[in-house]
Amino acid sequence: MRTQVGIVGAGPAGLMLAQILHLQGIDSVLIERASQEHVRSRLRAGVLEQGTVEMMREFGVGERVMKVGLRQRAIDFRFNGESHPIDFESVCGRNTWVYPQHEVVSDLMAARERSGLPVVYDAPVSRIEGLDGGRPVIHYERDGEPLRLECDYVAGCDGFRGISRSWIPADRLKVYDRIYPFGWLGILADAKPAIQDITWGCHEDGFAMMSIRSPTVTRLYLQCEPDENPDDWPDDRIWAELHKRLDVPGLPRLEEGRITQKGVTAMRSFLAEPMQYGRLFLAGDAAHIVPPTGAKGLNSALADVKVLARALTEQYRNENGQWLERYSDICLKRMWLVQRFSSGLCTMTHQFRGDEPFVRRLQRADLEYMTMHAPGRLEFSENFTGLPVEA
Ligand code: RFL
């Protein structure tokens, strides 16, 4: 097979890139390790920045999010037994949307089907060659048969555990990595959200979060050990801990319901520099991951591919390679700000074992500054609803 852009990985980054390129008249082939059903049903992110929703609309996949997505205008930070909401709509005029990642993926898959262009599922990529001269070839396997895709450019959209990043020579790649000493126990519950706003509990026993998934389903998280066994958390223990960390006097108590899903997520900040090598361009989790506190993973993946699609369009339409050359610099400039926000928020809202009382008190002062002072509220609101993408 031959194409213009070979895309490794059909997660949100790969699918969105394919969609934008298609609208610009550029051909692509997506090669995905997992089955279509597996990719479609992976439950992950749920919060979309306003810019992400605008991007989905701009590129023809925004109809359903506008119909069934839930607009969020505030976050309620709870600490010291009190509620401290930040109404980002009134602070910076922007919102976020609750619309689960699997719905974004379904919308993008439907768009790909409409385009009639290929996605090869159940096809792990094992090797990429010809990146620094000549023509790249992506080697993959389907039903035990080795196959190859020739292309002009390779987009590495294969997530954190993909293989694309490993084809950048080690002496050209600088990796920044921080693993946090805690994780999130996440549950999905058939319970009516107590309030519409995302609620963050910054309690001395650890962080907790409640976010609405639908009028009858709630997503909840609890700070836990990074290697916590979810089986050690019977439902009663989970609800007791959630009440302790999230409820405050004078506001509706958390509603309980049947827990339908339970899992532990590790927390990590990771960034690979540069995000390109020869004809290979990394996008999304393949290049960076953030702790889920800021809800930035999916949003950042889509921001990258917007820049990449623009750069490839300039190359194909106008033979202007300047954007491709600057791809990594443009994305990293924004991504470091996203890392700063996500990591800062994670550190401010979670409890680190062994922190001295002085550090804990500073944490409280940070929370108070962010929620009670106008510059703090503005900084949070601009970052949470999404920094502009320079595309
Ligand atoms: P993905 O989604 O990991 O997709 C990569 C795809 O590449 C395929 N692949 C390969 N294909 C072919 N050959 C190979 N050798 C391959 N190796 C891998 C994989 O099968 C997969 O289909 O990366 P992408 O597209 O960059 O998208 C990134 C997002 O999925 C991720 O950042 C978010 O889910 C992170 N995240 C959140 N992001 C947000 O913006 N808002 C949120 O509220 C949010 N909440 C979350 C999250 C992630 C979580 N977990 C489980 C890590 C909550 C959680 C719990």
Side-chain angles (χ1 to χ4, degrees):
M1 256 202 301
R2 291 177 78 111
T3 190
Q4 289 178 299
V5 182
I7 304 176
V8 185
L15 285 164
M16 180 57 103
L17 177 64
Q19 168 68 359
I20 308 178
L21 292 179
H22 165 63
L23 296 177
Q24 303 300 331
I26 299 168
D27 277 348
S28 65
V29 172
L30 285 142
I31 305 182
E32 167 58 50
R33 177 177 59 190
S35 70
Q36 182 167 15
E37 252 346 278
H38 179 84
V39 177
R40 200 200 298 273
S41 58
R42 242 178 345 218
L43 291 180
R44 283 184 171 184
V47 178
L48 304 183
E49 294 172 355
Q50 179 158 321
T52 300
V53 172
E54 284 162 4
M55 179 179 171
M56 289 172 69
R57 296 178 70 185
E58 182 182 352
F59 298 114
V61 286
E63 204 180 309
R64 283 182 65 236
V65 64
M66 296 313 291
K67 262 195 209 139
V68 299
L70 299 168
R71 199 142 64 119
Q72 292 276 304
R73 54 173 297 157
I75 283 196
D76 188 358
F77 284 91
R78 293 181 175 178
F79 55 90
N80 205 20
E82 291 167 349
S83 146
H84 302 271
I86 299 184
D87 179 340
F88 31 80
E89 187 170 272
S90 67
V91 172
C92 72
R94 295 171 71 78
N95 292 295
T96 58
W97 295 73
V98 173
Y99 188 65
Q101 178 164 329
H102 62 272
E103 300 288 0
V104 176
V105 166
S106 284
D107 296 346
L108 288 166
M109 280 179 175
R112 186 67 179 176
E113 273 159 31
R114 285 196 297 276
S115 78
L117 292 166
V119 185
V120 189
Y121 288 102
D122 300 298
V125 170
S126 54
R127 196 154 58 88
I128 309 171
E129 61 182 28
L131 289 171
D132 49 1
R135 205 171 153 79
V137 179
I138 300 174
H139 294 265
Y140 63 103
E141 201 174 280
R142 183 105 213 272
D143 296 329
E145 189 190 348
L147 294 161
R148 34 189 283 141
L149 171 70
E150 283 183 33
C151 49
D152 300 335
Y153 299 100
V154 180
C157 301
D158 49 350
F160 183 60
R161 303 201 182 282
I163 56 106
S164 300
R165 196 174 60 244
S166 67
W167 293 95
I168 302 184
D171 61 352
R172 300 284 187 92
L173 196 69
K174 184 154 175 56
V175 163
Y176 300 86
D177 198 5
R178 168 179 287 178
I179 295 173
Y180 297 84
F182 42 73
W184 272 10
L185 174 73
I187 65 158
L188 206 58
D190 288 336
K192 190 170 145 272
I195 62 167
Q196 293 295 305
D197 300 336
I198 305 171
T199 307
W200 289 21
C202 309
H203 192 268
E204 57 254 33
D205 288 347
F207 177 80
M209 182 176 107
M210 185 218 67
S211 97
I212 177 170
R213 269 300 145 94
S214 77
T216 54
V217 177
T218 320
R219 186 90 169 123
L220 296 133
Y221 295 101
L222 275 174
Q223 178 181 346
C224 63
E225 294 300 319
D227 52 357
E228 192 87 53
N229 178 0
D231 294 340
D232 292 341
W233 284 81
D235 294 6
D236 285 357
R237 183 177 174 208
I238 292 178
W239 289 115
E241 206 59 36
L242 285 167
H243 280 299
K244 183 172 70 183
R245 298 185 195 182
L246 285 166
D247 288 343
V248 290
L251 285 172
R253 268 169 64 80
L254 203 64
E255 296 236 3
E256 296 185 19
R258 192 171 64 93
I259 295 178
T260 55
Q261 204 197 74
K262 214 189 277 183
V264 171
T265 307
M267 310 279 268
R268 189 171 194 157
S269 299
F270 175 94
L271 206 150
E273 273 188 355
M275 289 168 58
Q276 67 191 86
Y277 171 71
R279 287 172 173 255
L280 169 69
F281 299 87
L282 303 179
D285 279 16
H288 42 70
I289 51 174
V290 284
T293 335
K296 293 293 172 210
L298 168 64
N299 291 294
S300 306
L302 299 187
D304 288 349
V305 300
K306 188 171 183 189
V307 178
L308 182 54
R310 168 74 200 273
L312 287 164
T313 305
E314 280 295 317
Q315 174 64 42
Y316 280 112
R317 281 228 188 113
N318 306 321
E319 290 186 14
N320 172 6
Q322 273 180 45
W323 279 82
L324 275 181
E325 273 167 34
R326 292 183 53 215
Y327 167 72
S328 176
D329 291 344
I330 293 171
C331 291
L332 284 171
K333 207 167 173 186
R334 183 179 189 278
M335 199 56 215
W336 272 113
L337 294 178
V338 172
Q339 291 283 5
R340 167 187 173 273
F341 175 68
S342 302
S343 177
L345 208 53
C346 185
T347 308
M348 193 193 301
T349 53
H350 288 67
Q351 295 300 325
F352 288 73
R353 197 185 293 131
D355 265 355
E356 317 154 36
F358 179 72
V359 175
R360 291 192 170 216
R361 202 56 198 80
L362 284 182
Q363 236 179 349
R364 168 85 59 78
D366 278 338
L367 279 170
E368 285 174 352
Y369 185 79
M370 184 174 75
T371 55
M372 298 178 193
H373 294 263
R377 283 198 294 266
L378 179 62
E379 186 184 336
F380 174 82
S381 300
E382 284 184 344
N383 281 276
F384 192 72
T385 58
L387 297 172
V389 179
E390 197 198 314

